[in-house]
């Protein structure tokens, strides 16, 4: 009888733990261990704050070098380039990723979101892998993700979420 109550208690606890109402839970499950979308957004906000402070300290100069983050190996996918077209509300970022989409072995689908200020835009790239437990080669392939900005890019710079540093930008 005691064993039966224990089993019912464990099953009930497991069911309650599975009732996660967090809208980020699906995305967080796809991120590597130790990373979460909430943490990446916080990291992006900190990068924006460092850039905005460097911008103010430089008196609004075009070439601003913000201080790097205080951590050694920040999480997230580093973007290598960015491009904007037309009205500047759409941004295409380039980065290194998997060979194919998440429908195939060792593949991943990518999407991006931005955290914006008046001076800069930090881009967070999120990978949703085919199967996190797969053994795959470490080869990297050029990939892109497209996102819509809340406001046109204008004269703002695009920053990488990992280091908070500006990336090359092409205006088409």
């Amino acid at each position: 009888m005691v064993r039966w109550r224990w089993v019912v208690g464990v099953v009930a606890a497991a069911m309650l733990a599975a009732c996660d109402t967090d809208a980020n839970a699906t995305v967080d499950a796809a991120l590597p261990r130790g990373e979460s979308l909430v943490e990446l957004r916080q990291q992006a906000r900190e990068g924006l704050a460092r850039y905005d402070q460097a911008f103010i300290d430089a008196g609004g100069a075009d070439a601003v070098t913000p201080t790097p983050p205080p951590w050694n190996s920040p999480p997230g996918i580093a973007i290598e380039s960015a491009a904007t077209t037309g009205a500047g509300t759409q941004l295409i970022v380039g980065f290194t990723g998997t060979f194919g989409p998440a429908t195939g072995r060792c593949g991943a689908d990518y999407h991006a979101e931005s955290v914006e200020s008046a001076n800069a835009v930090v881009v967070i790239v999120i990978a949703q892998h085919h199967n996190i437990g797969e053994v795959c080669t470490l080869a990297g392939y050029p990939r892109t993700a497209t996102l819509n900005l809340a406001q046109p890019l204008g004269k703002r710079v695009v920053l990488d979420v990992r280091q908070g540093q500006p990336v090359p930008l092409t205006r088409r």
Side-chain angles (χ1 to χ4, degrees):
M1 186 67 148
V2 173
R3 194 176 294 168
W4 176 252
R5 286 184 190 162
W6 181 80
V7 170
V8 169
V10 170
V11 169
M15 290 175 63
L16 288 174
C19 295
D20 189 354
T21 59
D22 184 3
N24 299 324
T26 303
V27 172
D28 285 348
L31 293 172
R33 187 177 176 97
E35 294 181 26
S36 75
L37 190 52
V38 171
E39 291 169 326
L40 288 171
R41 286 177 179 151
Q42 178 61 33
Q43 184 173 309
R45 284 190 293 274
E46 290 169 4
L48 275 180
R50 283 192 308 278
Y51 184 86
D52 287 344
Q53 187 59 52
F55 187 82
I56 291 167
D57 293 347
D62 288 339
V64 174
T65 305
T67 57
W71 50 84
N72 292 333
S73 181
I77 296 173
I79 61 169
E80 298 152 4
S81 64
T84 185
T85 60
T89 56
Q90 194 172 63
L91 196 62
I92 303 161
V93 294
F95 55 94
T96 301
T98 64
F99 174 70
T103 54
R105 187 175 180 285
C106 293
D109 290 333
Y110 298 93
H111 68 275
E113 70 174 58
S114 64
V115 178
E116 304 177 35
S117 76
N119 304 311
V121 173
V122 177
V123 177
I124 301 169
V125 176
I126 299 141
Q128 293 181 317
H129 294 276
H130 174 260
N131 183 354
I132 292 181
E134 289 180 319
V135 177
C136 305
T137 63
L138 293 178
Y141 300 89
R143 297 292 300 263
T144 61
T146 302
L147 64 141
N148 293 317
L149 300 174
Q151 298 178 13
L153 187 61
K155 293 185 178 187
R156 297 184 293 173
V157 298
V158 178
L159 305 175
D160 170 55
V161 72
R162 292 188 60 145
Q163 297 295 324
Q165 299 296 315
V167 298
L169 176 66
T170 303
R171 297 179 192 270
R172 297 179 187 168

